[in-house]
Amino acid sequence: AWQVAGVCHPALSVGGDFFDYSVTDDVLHLSLGDVMGKGTGAALIGAGARTALRSTDAAVAAGVDLGVTVTQVAQGLLADLESAESFLTLFEVALDAGTGLLRYVDAGSGLALLVRGDGTIERLDGRDRPLGVLADDHWTEHERDLGPADRLLVFSDGLLDLVPDQASWWEPIGELVAGAADLSGCLAAITRLAHSQTPLDDITAVAVFGAGQDSGR
């Protein structure tokens, strides 16, 4: 009952953004991360983070708290992040495809929007720091319920460079999500924005659309 897809437009030939999604036992796992810096070093850390997060999918699908698994991943990445003098912002999602229960961890990202079927825009965020800032940090799981006509967009901060007013970024980006005919149309609109000017940063976005959309929307 859910559709998911993503796009990534690196500012350089190799970027520090990454996204990933997979399904385990009817649970959709979605990750979007942004490693501070660009180039090969950032890309390698991103690849390691993606692999480490994937290794927790079975535990998350079995009901383990998402904050616990992100904390474990952060501890495993800490040495690499400290060595590179870098950090990783991350938005991690587990969506139960049967019930619509959305669990998420926001590690210093704050860039996720839930657009309800009636057009209401809700920001999803938290107060936790990025991975790699403090060695003894822990992360917190949050919950929302998604309906069949709801839409979720998670993205990196490169997209903020393309909106007129960054102080109220959620309004134009939320309107873009709400106004898209379908998931592919939403990502195509983001791609057009990315190509409309020279990118200053990597631009990455992943969208999840419920299948029960109003065709007249």
Side-chain angles (χ1 to χ4, degrees), residues 61-98:
V64 175
D65 187 282
L66 205 59
V68 171
T69 58
V70 169
T71 299
Q72 292 173 341
V73 168
Q75 291 171 348
L77 294 173
L78 184 61
D80 288 341
L81 289 168
E82 288 182 338
S83 176
E85 297 183 342
S86 185
F87 61 83
L88 166 65
T89 63
L90 174 71
F91 202 92
E92 181 76 4
V93 170
L95 172 62
D96 189 310

Side-chain angles (χ1 to χ4, degrees), residues 179-204:
D182 51 26
L183 183 145
S184 61
C186 176
L187 296 181
I190 291 172
T191 296
R192 286 193 296 271
L193 275 177
H195 292 166
S196 66
Q197 53 189 284
T198 301
L200 302 176
D201 199 357
D202 303 334
I203 299 168
T204 305

Side-chain angles (χ1 to χ4, degrees), residues 116-134:
R116 299 293 188 181
D118 62 1
T120 302
I121 300 170
E122 180 181 350
R123 295 175 60 182
L124 302 183
D125 54 20
R127 297 182 179 180
D128 296 332
R129 283 181 286 264
L131 280 62
V133 176
L134 295 178

Side-chain angles (χ1 to χ4, degrees), residues 121-155:
I121 300 170
E122 180 181 350
R123 295 175 60 182
L124 302 183
D125 54 20
R127 297 182 179 180
D128 296 332
R129 283 181 286 264
L131 280 62
V133 176
L134 295 178
D136 59 352
D137 265 343
H138 291 75
W139 285 265
T140 306
E141 178 184 276
H142 307 273
E143 292 185 358
R144 293 291 189 279
D145 289 314
L146 266 63
D150 293 341
R151 301 174 171 188
L152 172 69
L153 181 72
V154 184
F155 56 96

